Amino acid sequence: MNHDYQKDIAGCGLTGLINKKKKPIDGSHIKKSLSLMNDRGNGLGAGYAAYGVYPEMADCYAFHVMYDFDSSRMEAEELLKANYEIEKIEAMPTKPVKEIVISPLLIRYFLKPKKDKITGDQSEEDFVVKTVMQVNSEIEGAYIFSSGKNMGAFKGVGNPAEIADFFCLEEYEGYIWTGHTRFPTNTPGWWGGAHPFTLLDWSIVHNGEISSYGINKRYLEMFGYKLTLLTDTEVVAYLFDLLVRKHGLDIGMACKVLASPFWKDIDKMDAEDKEIYTALRQTYGSALLNGPFSLLFGHSKGLVGINDRIKLRPLVAATKDDFVYMASEESAIREICPDPERIWTPRAGEPVIVDLEE
Amino acid sequence: MFKSQALPEFLASIDTNKCIRCKRCIQNCGWSVYSWGGDRVQIDTQKCVRCLRCYHYCPVEAIEIKENDTRYRANANWSFYNIRNLKRQAETGGIPLTGMGCDLPYPILFDNLLLDACQVTNPSIDPLREPMELRTFLGKKPAKLTIKKDANGKPKLKTKLTPQIELAAPFIFSPMSFGSISLNAQKILAMTAKERGILMNTGEGGLHEDLYPYRTNVMVQVASGRFGVNPQYLNAGVAVEIKIGQGAKPGIGGHLPGEKIPLEVAKTRMIPTGTDALSPAPQHDIYSIEDLRQLIYALKEATEYKKPISVKIATVHNVAAIASGIVRAGADIVYLDGFRGGTGAAPAIIRDHMGIPIEHALAAVDDRLREEGIRNEASIVAAGGIRSAGDAAKAIALGADAVAIGTAALITMGCTVCGKCYTGNCSWGITTQRPELTARLDPEVYGERLSNLIRAWEHELMEILGALGVNAVESLRGSRERLRGIGLDSQMLDILGVKPAGR
C-alpha cells in the first residue's frame, strides 16, 4: 500500500442550483454566482458540473479527458477503443482566454461499453469505474475528469470567469449546475486538481479539509478504489459511490454516514432508529468525514448539500419557484436570485436533499 | 556463610540519626530486607528489589535506596547484567525468571512517531466546548448494511449484527489472572472497568465469585491450562478470550507455583490447594488453525453466539499471516500482545529475546487484513508497552480499535515496575497471595486512583483528537496520515505505513 503521498490541501467557495422541473438554464448564471466569491479562491482552480447538457447523447457515457502528451492520448484511446463502442470523438469546445496561457489537450468521447467485455457479475457501471481508475492511475498524463451520462465537468486552472469562458459554458444548457473556486495552499495548479470531482454521474464540489482523510482513503482502498488525486474531494466522491451505488443506501442514509449524528443524540432516539444509527456508525465509522467541510453532491436525479457535523464551513440554501440554490455565501445566491422565497442556513450535519421531479 | 558473587543491584541504607526505630520498614518489606537488631534496623541489601515500599512508609525520610556503585569493571561488551546473570546461573544452574515486560533498550517506535495537529486550513476542536466521542465497539462488523424503507417510508435495518462490546473509551485492561495478582488487585480492575465503562480480563485463573457483580465489564479467558473453565464461567462475562500466547513469553506456557495457590485461588481455578498450576506451552487441542476454528465455534456454541470471541496472540515474526488466519477462523477480536508486554513470571531469556514490538505487528496486521478485505471482520486490540494516552493514540492511528494496559494499571496500585512479580513477595500487595501483603491493597482507595488514570487518559485522548480536528475516535483509527516518523529508515516507514516528518 502506498502511504508516501503528498496530500492536496485547499480552501474554497462553492455554489449550486437545481431546477426541479428540469427547466434548462445556461451556464451564465452559475458563472455569475461563483464569480462573486472570487476572494474565496486564488485563481489556481475553478470548475463546474452541469446535468442535462448532452440530451442528444443521453444514452452514451460522456468522457471528458485531459492529456498532457500525445502519447498519453494514443495509449488511452487504444484502451477505450478495445472496450467501448465510440459514438463520437471531438475536441472539447474552448475559446481563447487571455489569462489562460496553457492548457492540456481536452478531448470528449461519447461511448458505450462493449457488452462482451463486461465479465462475471460486473455491472456496466463497475466496468466504467474500472476504466476510469485504470486510465487515471496507470496511463501517465491521461486523466478522465468526467464520465457520466448527459452530464459533464468543466474545470481547470484559472478563476471562475476565465474557466467558464474558456469552456464556453454559456453555450450549454442544464438543469443542475454546481461551481467551485479553489484556494490551494500547497500545490501549484494542476488542471485535474480543480473541482468538481466526478465518477459516473456523481459530481462533488467541496470546501474543506477532511481531517479523517487518512482512514477514509484506506477504507476505500479496501473496496478496490484507487485514490490517485490525493484530495479530500476524491474521497467524498468514492464514498458516495460505495455507499449509494454499491451498498444500496439511499442518499439520506449515506449523508448520515458521512456526517453521522452524535452518540448523545443517537442515545435519545427510539429503539429502532437507535439500532439503525448505531449500526451505521459501527459499520461505517471509517467512512465518517471528520473535519470541516461543506459540499454539494450532484447526481442524475438531484442535488444534495451537506455540512460536517459541527458546521465548520459555511453553507446557505434558498428556494425560489422551482429552483433551489446552495452556496458558501448568501451573497452568491442573491447575485442570481435577488428575491428568494426562503433562505436559510442548514444545520450541522443535516443534508439538504433536492430531487428532480419525475 | 555463602555469599553470592552476584553483586547486589541496590544498596538500601537507613540514616540512623533520622531513624526513630518505628520498624515500619521491617513490617512493610515483603522481601525481608530489614530485621530488628536490638537497637537498630539491620539491612540485608542483597534481597532489595528497590520497590520503594519501605521508602514510602518511612515517616522520617530516613531510608535511601541507591544503585549499587560497586560495579564490575566497565566493559562495553560485558554489561553489569550480563556478568551478574552469568554468576547467578553458575550458582543455581537455573533459568533466571523475571516479571513485567522486557527492560532492555530495544527501539521503542512509539517514541519515533509524532502526531499531527491542525493549523489554519482546518480548525482544531475544543473538547471542553464540543462533543468529543470515544465510544468504541469491539466485535465483527458487516462489510455493508442493508437498510430498506417500509410502506410508511420508515427505514428498517435488514442486516443483523453479531454481538458487540461497547466501550466508553478505547481502553481495556490486559488479562492478569487471580493467582498471578491478588484478588484485591483484580477487584480494583473490575471496579474501575465498571465505573469507566470499559473491560477487565480475568486472565486464565477463572473468575472469583466476588467479581460476579462486575460481570458486565469482564472478559473471561480460556487458556491452555483451562483453569476455572465451566459453562457458568464462559457465560459470566461479556466476551470470551482464547489465549494462545503472551507477548512477554511467546511460545511457552505458564507456571504458577503451589505457594501462590491458597484456597481461594484453588477454588477459582478448580484445582487442589498448593499444587503447581501448569499452563502447557500450546493449547493441546490446538495444533493448527483448523483446531482453533473448532475451539472458537465450541465457545460460540457454549455461549449461544451471544458473546464475541477474542483470540490473544503474542506478536511473532509472521504475525500478519497468523492474524489473518485467526480472523478467517471466526474470531471477532484479535488481541495482539507485543514483545514488551508484561508478565507475572517468565524466563528472562524468552522475555528479552523473542517476538516483535507491537508497533510493527499492529501495522503489519492492519495492512494485511485490509489487503485481504477482511479488516471489518474483527476488531484489533493492541497491547504490550502502552505507557500513556500518547502511545494509545499512536496505536489507534496505526490501526488498533482499542489498546490494552496492564503495567500502567498496576503502577496506579503502587507498583514501581521492580520486576519481581514471580517471587510472590510483592510488598504492594499486587502480585502476591500472602494475606498480610494483599490486605494492604485497599480496593476502594486504589480503585479511585485507577479510575482517575482512565479518566485522565480519556481527557488526554480527547485533547489529542481535538488538536487533530476530529471529534470521534473512529476518525483517528487507522489514519496513519496523521502520524509522521522521526529517525526511522525508509523500510521501517514502509512497514509502519507512515511518512517521515517533513513530508
Side-chain angles (χ1 to χ4, degrees), chain A residues 288-309:
Chain A
L288 168 64
L289 295 176
N290 215 321
F293 70 85
S294 55
L295 64 87
L296 298 180
F297 163 51
H299 58 105
S300 57
K301 297 191 180 71
L303 179 66
V304 180
I306 184 171
N307 264 138
D308 65 86
R309 56 197 205 134

Side-chain angles (χ1 to χ4, degrees), chain A residues 47-352:
Chain A
Y48 303 87
Y51 290 78
V53 286
Y54 299 130
E56 69 286 358
M57 287 288 192
D59 54 345
C60 287
Y61 290 92
F63 279 18
H64 294 183
V65 190
M66 296 174 184
Y67 295 115
D68 290 342
F69 321 107
D70 287 341
S71 60
S72 330
R73 179 177 182 179
M74 282 169 63
E75 202 179 332
E77 285 192 355
E78 198 176 330
L79 187 130
L80 292 178
K81 280 173 182 159
N83 291 291
Y84 293 83
E85 306 290 354
I86 300 183
E87 305 279 324
K88 197 174 176 185
I89 303 183
E90 61 189 0
M92 289 189 70
T94 57
K95 68 180 181 200
V97 173
K98 186 161 64 83
E99 291 80 5
I100 297 177
V101 183
I102 187 166
S103 68
L105 185 61
L106 293 156
I107 309 293
R108 177 159 76 189
Y109 303 82
F110 292 94
L111 30 74
K112 292 175 184 168
K114 289 181 177 169
K115 292 274 178 275
D116 59 321
K117 296 287 179 185
I118 303 173
T119 52
D121 54 2
Q122 214 179 18
S123 69
E124 191 177 281
E125 286 86 2
D126 289 336
F127 183 79
V128 174
V129 170
K130 190 166 160 261
T131 305
V132 173
M133 298 269 162
Q134 194 179 348
V135 169
N136 291 358
S137 65
E138 291 172 19
I139 301 178
E140 202 198 334
Y143 174 47
I144 301 175
F145 63 101
S146 189
S147 55
K149 287 179 175 173
N150 197 15
M151 62 81 68
F154 307 87
K155 64 183 188 177
V157 175
N159 71 31
E162 292 157 10
I163 293 297
D165 293 345
F166 177 80
F167 281 105
C168 318
L169 279 200
E170 289 178 23
E171 291 163 25
Y172 292 87
E173 290 198 322
Y175 42 81
I176 306 173
W177 285 89
T178 60
H180 184 272
T181 180
R182 186 160 175 264
F183 196 135
T185 52
N186 68 342
T187 46
W190 171 54
W191 279 61
H195 295 209
F197 284 95
T198 69
L199 185 69
L200 298 168
D201 67 344
W202 316 118
S203 71
I204 307 280
V205 292
H206 159 255
N207 171 19
E209 179 177 345
I210 296 178
S211 308
S212 57
Y213 173 84
I215 185 55
N216 300 143
K217 173 176 183 286
R218 296 183 76 220
Y219 178 70
L220 285 165
E221 283 169 346
M222 199 170 103
F223 292 94
Y225 291 89
K226 293 194 173 77
L227 289 95
T228 52
L229 302 174
L230 310 178
T231 65
D232 299 328
T233 319
E234 182 187 39
V235 158
V236 182
Y238 294 165
L239 282 174
F240 268 115
D241 184 63
L242 177 75
L243 296 171
V244 177
R245 189 173 64 84
K246 292 264 190 69
H247 289 184
L249 298 184
D250 67 32
I251 286 172
M253 274 299 164
C255 288
K256 292 299 177 190
V257 168
L258 303 183
S260 65
F262 285 98
W263 288 117
K264 66 180 170 63
D265 300 321
I266 294 174
D267 291 342
K268 287 181 207 145
M269 293 175 177
D270 68 45
E272 221 169 5
D273 277 351
K274 189 174 174 182
E275 189 192 1
I276 290 177
Y277 285 98
T278 300
L280 278 179
R281 289 198 63 175
Q282 288 171 329
T283 307
Y284 294 115
S286 301
L288 168 64
L289 295 176
N290 215 321
F293 70 85
S294 55
L295 64 87
L296 298 180
F297 163 51
H299 58 105
S300 57
K301 297 191 180 71
L303 179 66
V304 180
I306 184 171
N307 264 138
D308 65 86
R309 56 197 205 134
I310 52 173
K311 202 166 175 90
L312 296 170
R313 285 286 193 273
L315 185 67
V316 181
T319 56
K320 172 77 175 175
D321 303 327
D322 298 324
F323 284 97
V324 178
Y325 301 88
M326 295 180 226
S328 297
E329 296 181 13
E330 185 177 329
S331 56
I333 294 174
R334 290 195 185 269
E335 179 76 353
I336 51 172
C337 173
D339 188 20
E341 285 153 11
R342 182 179 168 227
I343 190 154
W344 76 101
T345 303
R347 293 177 65 88
E350 280 179 18
V352 180

